[in-house]
Amino acid sequence: IKQKCHEFLGVEVTASEKQINKAYRKLAKKIHPDTKRDSEKEEAHKKFIELSGYYETALKLLKNHNASLREIK
């Protein structure tokens, strides 16, 4: 899952929260349904939901990783 999230967002697995946010915003602008013609809105909506899910998952994975690093210290 981790690799797929990062691949979809176009960032490295070691990406920071800032890099993940930047990639998400860039893709969100590109595929948001409001920026598409009526004939493309349904597909764009599906991709946007998929993007949002990958974004949330990537952030959760990063936060869990950072939390586990803090526990080690």
Side-chain angles (χ1 to χ4, degrees):
I1 293 175
K2 185 175 186 177
Q3 185 68 32
K4 190 170 184 178
C5 291
H6 288 80
E7 282 179 17
F8 192 90
L9 292 167
V11 295
E12 297 291 324
V13 176
T14 57
S16 68
E17 185 173 356
K18 185 176 180 179
Q19 291 169 317
I20 292 170
N21 287 334
K22 184 177 178 180
Y24 170 75
R25 280 189 231 103
K26 183 179 177 181
L27 284 172
K29 282 183 180 180
K30 184 177 178 181
I31 66 172
H32 196 281
D34 290 347
T35 65
K36 302 298 181 190
R37 296 185 196 126
D38 288 338
S39 61
E40 300 171 333
K41 283 188 187 272
E42 187 175 334
E43 183 64 29
H45 179 72
K46 290 177 186 175
K47 284 192 178 233
F48 191 76
I49 290 173
E50 185 178 19
L51 170 64
S52 297
Y54 283 137
Y55 170 68
E56 289 175 18
T57 302
L59 287 181
K60 284 179 187 176
L61 289 168
L62 178 65
K63 289 177 183 183
N64 289 341
H65 176 73
N66 289 344
S68 65
L69 288 177
R70 282 192 295 272
E71 288 176 8
I72 293 172
K73 290 182 180 181

XYZ file of all heavy atoms in Angstrom:
602
model
N 0.835 -1.195 0.000
C 0.000 0.000 0.000
C 0.874 1.251 0.000
O 0.599 2.185 -0.739
C -0.949 0.008 1.214
C -1.974 -1.108 1.083
C -1.642 1.340 1.358
C -2.871 -1.246 2.281
N 1.905 1.250 0.814
C 2.771 2.421 0.936
C 3.365 2.808 -0.412
O 3.309 3.962 -0.816
C 3.890 2.140 1.947
C 4.761 3.328 2.233
C 5.762 2.988 3.322
C 6.547 4.210 3.724
N 7.468 3.946 4.820
N 3.891 1.834 -1.118
C 4.508 2.094 -2.418
C 3.473 2.623 -3.408
O 3.737 3.569 -4.138
C 5.158 0.810 -2.955
C 5.923 0.994 -4.244
C 7.169 1.847 -4.074
O 7.802 1.837 -3.022
N 7.527 2.579 -5.099
N 2.280 2.028 -3.423
C 1.240 2.440 -4.357
C 0.799 3.878 -4.088
O 0.581 4.653 -5.018
C 0.052 1.494 -4.279
C -0.957 1.712 -5.374
C -1.992 0.623 -5.416
C -2.920 0.854 -6.594
N -3.915 -0.189 -6.720
N 0.649 4.240 -2.819
C 0.265 5.617 -2.462
C 1.278 6.607 -2.998
O 0.924 7.617 -3.609
C 0.195 5.781 -0.945
S -1.130 4.912 -0.153
N 2.522 6.320 -2.748
C 3.581 7.234 -3.152
C 3.735 7.277 -4.672
O 4.000 8.343 -5.236
C 4.885 6.866 -2.447
C 4.853 7.204 -0.994
N 4.225 6.412 -0.069
C 5.340 8.263 -0.306
C 4.338 6.964 1.120
N 5.010 8.085 1.009
N 3.561 6.150 -5.325
C 3.623 6.134 -6.789
C 2.509 6.981 -7.387
O 2.741 7.750 -8.311
C 3.510 4.696 -7.316
C 4.774 3.897 -7.199
C 4.602 2.466 -7.710
O 3.628 2.183 -8.431
O 5.457 1.636 -7.374
N 1.305 6.829 -6.870
C 0.167 7.594 -7.384
C 0.401 9.092 -7.200
O 0.107 9.881 -8.092
C -1.127 7.171 -6.675
C -2.371 7.696 -7.333
C -3.004 6.962 -8.316
C -2.908 8.918 -6.967
C -4.151 7.435 -8.930
C -4.059 9.405 -7.572
C -4.683 8.656 -8.561
N 0.961 9.463 -6.048
C 1.237 10.874 -5.774
C 2.479 11.374 -6.511
O 2.679 12.578 -6.638
C 1.404 11.099 -4.270
C 0.146 10.927 -3.430
C 0.498 10.871 -1.953
C -0.837 12.051 -3.708
N 3.301 10.458 -6.965
C 4.505 10.840 -7.697
C 5.644 11.308 -6.803
O 6.427 12.172 -7.188
N 5.712 10.743 -5.591
C 6.782 11.102 -4.663
C 7.519 9.840 -4.207
O 7.012 8.734 -4.336
C 6.229 11.857 -3.421
C 5.647 13.192 -3.813
C 5.226 11.027 -2.660
N 8.687 10.039 -3.661
C 9.474 8.930 -3.124
C 8.825 8.411 -1.842
O 8.108 9.135 -1.155
C 10.905 9.394 -2.808
C 11.694 9.845 -4.024
C 12.041 8.699 -4.950
O 12.305 7.582 -4.458
O 12.047 8.919 -6.174
N 9.133 7.180 -1.487
C 8.611 6.589 -0.248
C 9.130 7.362 0.959
O 8.470 7.436 1.991
C 8.995 5.091 -0.156
C 8.546 4.485 1.151
C 8.398 4.328 -1.321
N 10.268 7.982 0.823
C 10.882 8.746 1.917
C 10.460 10.218 1.906
O 11.061 11.031 2.610
C 12.412 8.658 1.817
O 12.815 9.150 0.524
C 12.905 7.240 1.998
N 9.430 10.559 1.151
C 9.001 11.950 1.020
C 8.538 12.527 2.356
O 7.963 11.835 3.189
C 7.869 12.060 0.001
N 8.786 13.819 2.524
C 8.344 14.521 3.723
C 6.872 14.902 3.594
O 6.282 14.816 2.509
C 9.175 15.788 3.916
O 8.883 16.713 2.882
N 6.293 15.365 4.693
C 4.899 15.807 4.669
C 4.733 16.975 3.694
O 3.749 17.044 2.958
C 4.441 16.216 6.071
C 2.978 16.573 6.125
C 2.481 16.822 7.534
O 3.246 16.647 8.506
O 1.306 17.206 7.668
N 5.695 17.848 3.665
C 5.649 18.995 2.749
C 5.630 18.532 1.296
O 4.863 19.042 0.471
C 6.853 19.900 3.005
C 6.856 21.176 2.214
C 8.037 22.060 2.586
C 8.031 23.339 1.787
N 9.162 24.206 2.159
N 6.454 17.549 0.961
C 6.506 17.018 -0.407
C 5.202 16.315 -0.775
O 4.722 16.444 -1.900
C 7.690 16.058 -0.554
C 9.034 16.749 -0.488
C 10.173 15.746 -0.371
O 10.089 14.770 0.392
N 11.234 15.988 -1.120
N 4.637 15.585 0.171
C 3.369 14.889 -0.071
C 2.257 15.904 -0.303
O 1.464 15.774 -1.237
C 3.034 13.936 1.094
C 4.039 12.775 1.135
C 1.607 13.405 0.976
C 3.959 11.915 2.381
N 2.210 16.936 0.528
C 1.193 17.981 0.375
C 1.314 18.690 -0.972
O 0.301 18.943 -1.643
C 1.298 19.013 1.498
C 0.798 18.494 2.817
O -0.033 17.605 2.874
N 1.329 19.041 3.900
N 2.526 19.002 -1.365
C 2.756 19.695 -2.635
C 2.296 18.831 -3.816
O 1.630 19.314 -4.733
C 4.238 20.037 -2.773
C 4.568 20.838 -4.003
C 6.043 21.215 -4.041
C 6.356 21.984 -5.301
N 7.769 22.367 -5.373
N 2.642 17.545 -3.774
C 2.244 16.629 -4.848
C 0.731 16.489 -4.905
O 0.134 16.488 -5.984
C 2.904 15.263 -4.642
N 0.104 16.411 -3.734
C -1.357 16.284 -3.678
C -2.020 17.517 -4.286
O -2.928 17.392 -5.103
C -1.820 16.087 -2.230
C -3.310 16.202 -2.080
C -4.145 15.183 -2.504
C -3.894 17.349 -1.534
C -5.527 15.282 -2.389
C -5.268 17.458 -1.414
C -6.074 16.429 -1.840
O -7.442 16.541 -1.730
N -1.577 18.695 -3.888
C -2.188 19.925 -4.408
C -2.032 20.029 -5.922
O -2.964 20.428 -6.625
C -1.578 21.151 -3.728
C -2.168 21.408 -2.368
C -1.719 22.748 -1.804
N -1.213 22.523 -0.470
C 0.073 22.478 -0.128
N 1.000 22.687 -1.009
N 0.424 22.249 1.108
N -0.869 19.662 -6.403
C -0.619 19.718 -7.849
C -1.561 18.776 -8.605
O -2.176 19.162 -9.605
C 0.843 19.348 -8.124
C 1.244 19.431 -9.569
C 2.705 19.079 -9.747
C 3.096 19.101 -11.203
N 4.501 18.728 -11.400
N -1.678 17.548 -8.117
C -2.571 16.585 -8.764
C -4.034 16.971 -8.601
O -4.831 16.788 -9.517
C -2.335 15.182 -8.199
C -1.088 14.469 -8.692
C -0.857 13.185 -7.907
C -1.204 14.153 -10.169
N -4.391 17.496 -7.433
C -5.784 17.884 -7.181
C -6.223 18.964 -8.167
O -7.336 18.910 -8.699
C -5.939 18.374 -5.745
N -5.356 19.920 -8.431
C -5.677 20.962 -9.415
C -5.869 20.354 -10.803
O -6.746 20.769 -11.553
C -4.564 22.000 -9.492
C -4.558 22.991 -8.375
C -3.455 23.995 -8.598
C -3.385 25.016 -7.506
N -2.311 26.000 -7.737
N -5.041 19.379 -11.110
C -5.063 18.781 -12.437
C -6.304 17.918 -12.675
O -6.871 17.946 -13.771
C -3.801 17.925 -12.621
C -3.651 17.314 -13.977
C -2.348 16.555 -14.079
C -2.200 15.899 -15.426
N -0.968 15.134 -15.536
N -6.738 17.168 -11.667
C -7.814 16.204 -11.901
C -9.132 16.565 -11.242
O -10.099 15.814 -11.348
C -7.398 14.777 -11.473
C -7.201 14.677 -9.972
C -6.187 14.302 -12.233
C -6.985 13.252 -9.487
N -9.211 17.687 -10.561
C -10.457 18.047 -9.861
C -11.618 18.096 -10.849
O -11.501 18.665 -11.931
C -10.306 19.390 -9.155
C -11.380 19.614 -8.142
N -12.637 20.024 -8.487
C -11.375 19.437 -6.809
C -13.371 20.118 -7.399
N -12.628 19.763 -6.356
N -12.766 17.514 -10.484
C -13.923 17.470 -11.392
C -14.409 18.846 -11.853
O -14.920 18.980 -12.960
C -15.005 16.778 -10.556
C -14.287 16.033 -9.507
C -13.020 16.771 -9.246
N -14.252 19.858 -11.030
C -14.708 21.205 -11.403
C -13.913 21.806 -12.559
O -14.342 22.776 -13.168
C -14.655 22.155 -10.211
C -15.704 21.821 -9.168
O -16.624 21.024 -9.473
O -15.605 22.339 -8.043
N -12.759 21.223 -12.842
C -11.928 21.744 -13.933
C -12.154 20.992 -15.241
O -11.499 21.280 -16.238
C -10.428 21.671 -13.578
O -10.047 20.295 -13.448
C -10.118 22.416 -12.297
N -13.084 20.043 -15.223
C -13.310 19.189 -16.397
C -14.635 19.509 -17.083
O -15.538 20.088 -16.493
C -13.322 17.712 -15.973
C -12.059 17.246 -15.280
C -10.871 17.357 -16.180
C -9.609 16.873 -15.478
N -8.418 17.162 -16.206
N -14.724 19.091 -18.331
C -15.986 19.198 -19.073
C -16.991 18.227 -18.478
O -16.621 17.260 -17.806
C -15.761 18.853 -20.545
C -14.857 19.815 -21.246
C -14.783 19.463 -22.725
N -13.641 20.146 -23.298
C -12.679 19.566 -23.967
N -12.717 18.275 -24.203
N -11.673 20.263 -24.442
N -18.264 18.458 -18.780
C -19.317 17.596 -18.239
C -19.090 16.128 -18.560
O -19.324 15.261 -17.722
C -20.691 18.027 -18.762
C -21.160 19.329 -18.130
O -20.660 19.671 -17.039
O -22.021 19.992 -18.728
N -18.619 15.846 -19.757
C -18.408 14.459 -20.175
C -17.259 13.788 -19.415
O -17.172 12.563 -19.369
C -18.142 14.393 -21.674
O -16.975 15.113 -22.005
N -16.375 14.572 -18.808
C -15.217 14.028 -18.103
C -15.371 14.070 -16.581
O -14.533 13.545 -15.865
C -13.970 14.828 -18.489
C -13.651 14.798 -19.966
C -12.547 15.771 -20.337
O -12.368 16.787 -19.638
O -11.853 15.506 -21.330
N -16.429 14.695 -16.096
C -16.580 14.913 -14.653
C -16.682 13.620 -13.843
O -16.094 13.515 -12.772
C -17.787 15.797 -14.361
C -17.519 17.256 -14.634
C -18.664 18.116 -14.146
C -18.470 19.555 -14.559
N -17.708 20.327 -13.626
N -17.419 12.635 -14.340
C -17.601 11.393 -13.584
C -16.269 10.676 -13.370
O -15.953 10.246 -12.254
C -18.591 10.476 -14.292
C -18.950 9.259 -13.462
C -20.016 8.404 -14.109
O -20.824 8.920 -14.906
O -20.025 7.201 -13.807
N -15.491 10.547 -14.432
C -14.175 9.900 -14.321
C -13.249 10.721 -13.430
O -12.505 10.166 -12.609
C -13.555 9.711 -15.714
C -12.232 8.984 -15.704
C -12.317 7.548 -15.206
O -13.371 6.917 -15.363
O -11.316 7.067 -14.647
N -13.281 12.031 -13.561
C -12.449 12.902 -12.733
C -12.834 12.775 -11.260
O -11.965 12.769 -10.383
C -12.573 14.343 -13.194
N -14.118 12.647 -11.001
C -14.589 12.490 -9.621
C -14.025 11.206 -9.011
O -13.545 11.211 -7.869
C -16.120 12.475 -9.593
C -16.693 12.301 -8.227
N -16.655 13.288 -7.281
C -17.298 11.235 -7.643
C -17.221 12.843 -6.167
N -17.625 11.599 -6.370
N -14.052 10.126 -9.758
C -13.506 8.845 -9.279
C -12.011 8.970 -8.989
O -11.530 8.495 -7.960
C -13.739 7.740 -10.310
C -15.181 7.326 -10.442
C -15.352 6.286 -11.526
C -16.822 5.975 -11.775
N -17.009 5.056 -12.900
N -11.280 9.605 -9.912
C -9.837 9.771 -9.722
C -9.542 10.682 -8.533
O -8.584 10.465 -7.802
C -9.182 10.323 -10.982
C -9.029 9.306 -12.064
C -8.116 9.816 -13.156
C -7.958 8.745 -14.188
N -6.580 8.447 -14.457
N -10.376 11.710 -8.355
C -10.163 12.636 -7.250
C -10.379 11.936 -5.907
O -9.616 12.141 -4.962
C -11.098 13.843 -7.376
C -10.751 14.945 -6.426
C -9.666 15.767 -6.655
C -11.511 15.162 -5.294
C -9.333 16.778 -5.773
C -11.201 16.168 -4.409
C -10.106 16.987 -4.648
N -11.384 11.074 -5.831
C -11.627 10.303 -4.607
C -10.455 9.360 -4.351
O -9.987 9.221 -3.221
C -12.961 9.540 -4.693
C -14.114 10.544 -4.617
C -13.071 8.481 -3.604
C -15.471 9.944 -4.859
N -9.965 8.731 -5.400
C -8.804 7.839 -5.275
C -7.585 8.623 -4.794
O -6.867 8.180 -3.887
C -8.522 7.171 -6.629
C -7.430 6.142 -6.594
C -7.219 5.467 -7.943
O -7.644 6.006 -8.988
O -6.605 4.395 -7.941
N -7.358 9.793 -5.377
C -6.244 10.650 -4.973
C -6.361 11.018 -3.499
O -5.387 10.934 -2.759
C -6.213 11.919 -5.835
C -5.266 13.029 -5.381
C -3.819 12.570 -5.447
C -5.468 14.277 -6.225
N -7.541 11.408 -3.075
C -7.751 11.795 -1.679
C -7.452 10.643 -0.731
O -6.836 10.837 0.322
C -9.184 12.286 -1.480
O -9.416 13.437 -2.250
N -7.870 9.449 -1.106
C -7.583 8.272 -0.289
C -6.103 7.983 -0.181
O -5.592 7.701 0.917
N -5.406 8.051 -1.299
C -3.953 7.822 -1.281
C -3.236 8.896 -0.469
O -2.289 8.602 0.264
C -3.389 7.782 -2.698
C -3.655 6.484 -3.422
C -4.056 6.476 -4.743
C -3.487 5.265 -2.792
C -4.292 5.287 -5.425
C -3.718 4.069 -3.455
C -4.117 4.089 -4.766
O -4.349 2.908 -5.425
N -3.693 10.120 -0.583
C -3.099 11.232 0.161
C -3.256 10.996 1.668
O -2.288 11.082 2.420
C -3.767 12.539 -0.262
C -3.417 13.728 0.578
C -2.138 14.265 0.563
C -4.371 14.347 1.379
C -1.815 15.373 1.329
C -4.065 15.458 2.138
C -2.787 15.966 2.113
O -2.472 17.066 2.864
N -4.470 10.680 2.097
C -4.719 10.432 3.518
C -3.897 9.253 4.024
O -3.327 9.307 5.115
C -6.199 10.168 3.757
C -7.056 11.405 3.598
C -8.545 11.125 3.729
O -8.908 10.055 4.283
O -9.331 11.957 3.288
N -3.819 8.203 3.225
C -3.045 7.024 3.616
C -1.560 7.353 3.719
O -0.892 6.947 4.674
C -3.267 5.874 2.619
O -4.660 5.577 2.577
C -2.486 4.632 3.010
N -1.041 8.100 2.752
C 0.384 8.470 2.781
C 0.697 9.299 4.016
O 1.732 9.093 4.662
C 0.755 9.233 1.510
N -0.185 10.229 4.374
C 0.043 11.039 5.567
C -0.019 10.197 6.838
O 0.794 10.374 7.749
C -0.973 12.180 5.647
C -0.768 13.330 4.670
C -1.845 14.396 4.884
C 0.610 13.953 4.808
N -0.971 9.277 6.905
C -1.076 8.401 8.081
C 0.174 7.538 8.224
O 0.696 7.367 9.320
C -2.311 7.508 7.989
C -3.599 8.225 8.280
C -4.785 7.289 8.140
C -6.094 8.050 8.259
N -7.257 7.190 8.030
N 0.637 6.991 7.111
C 1.851 6.169 7.143
C 3.053 6.988 7.619
O 3.856 6.514 8.424
C 2.133 5.571 5.765
C 1.179 4.479 5.296
C 1.392 4.184 3.814
C 1.359 3.220 6.123
N 3.155 8.207 7.136
C 4.263 9.082 7.531
C 4.175 9.409 9.017
O 5.179 9.332 9.734
C 4.243 10.371 6.701
C 5.314 11.398 7.047
C 6.701 10.850 6.728
C 5.069 12.693 6.300
N 2.994 9.740 9.495
C 2.831 10.077 10.912
C 3.101 8.874 11.799
O 3.720 9.004 12.858
C 1.448 10.663 11.157
C 1.346 12.050 10.564
C -0.016 12.660 10.711
C 0.017 14.015 10.009
N -1.209 14.758 10.114
N 2.656 7.691 11.383
C 2.938 6.475 12.151
C 4.437 6.194 12.187
O 4.981 5.796 13.212
C 2.204 5.268 11.574
C 0.717 5.326 11.814
O 0.241 6.046 12.677
N -0.033 4.569 11.024
N 5.096 6.400 11.067
C 6.551 6.196 10.991
C 7.264 7.172 11.915
O 8.154 6.782 12.674
C 7.026 6.371 9.548
C 8.504 6.279 9.396
N 9.185 5.093 9.498
C 9.436 7.236 9.161
C 10.482 5.317 9.335
N 10.652 6.610 9.130
N 6.862 8.438 11.856
C 7.490 9.453 12.714
C 7.243 9.159 14.192
O 8.130 9.345 15.023
C 6.984 10.850 12.355
C 7.527 11.316 11.020
O 8.492 10.760 10.495
N 6.893 12.311 10.440
N 6.056 8.689 14.528
C 5.731 8.341 15.908
C 6.587 7.178 16.387
O 7.081 7.182 17.516
C 4.254 8.008 16.046
N 6.787 6.195 15.528
C 7.604 5.046 15.930
C 9.071 5.449 16.102
O 9.756 4.919 16.964
C 7.468 3.898 14.918
O 7.995 4.250 13.677
N 9.528 6.409 15.307
C 10.902 6.896 15.482
C 11.055 7.625 16.801
O 12.081 7.504 17.464
C 11.291 7.828 14.329
C 11.523 7.183 12.967
C 11.835 8.247 11.926
C 12.638 6.163 13.029
N 10.044 8.376 17.221
C 10.089 9.089 18.498
C 10.110 8.101 19.670
O 10.752 8.345 20.688
C 8.910 10.037 18.647
C 9.084 11.330 17.846
C 8.052 12.355 18.227
N 6.691 11.937 17.872
C 6.106 12.151 16.702
N 6.757 12.764 15.749
N 4.877 11.738 16.489
N 9.395 6.986 19.514
C 9.370 5.985 20.588
C 10.729 5.330 20.776
O 11.085 4.955 21.882
C 8.321 4.907 20.277
C 6.913 5.392 20.422
C 5.889 4.343 20.018
O 6.276 3.189 19.763
O 4.696 4.690 19.962
N 11.483 5.210 19.691
C 12.802 4.581 19.759
C 13.773 5.453 20.536
O 14.615 4.969 21.266
C 13.342 4.291 18.332
C 12.475 3.224 17.676
C 14.794 3.862 18.379
C 12.784 2.986 16.217
N 13.618 6.770 20.409
C 14.556 7.697 21.077
C 14.372 7.702 22.528
O 14.015 7.501 23.411
C 14.356 9.119 20.538
C 14.830 9.229 19.132
C 14.655 10.645 18.643
C 15.121 10.777 17.209
N 14.995 12.097 16.691
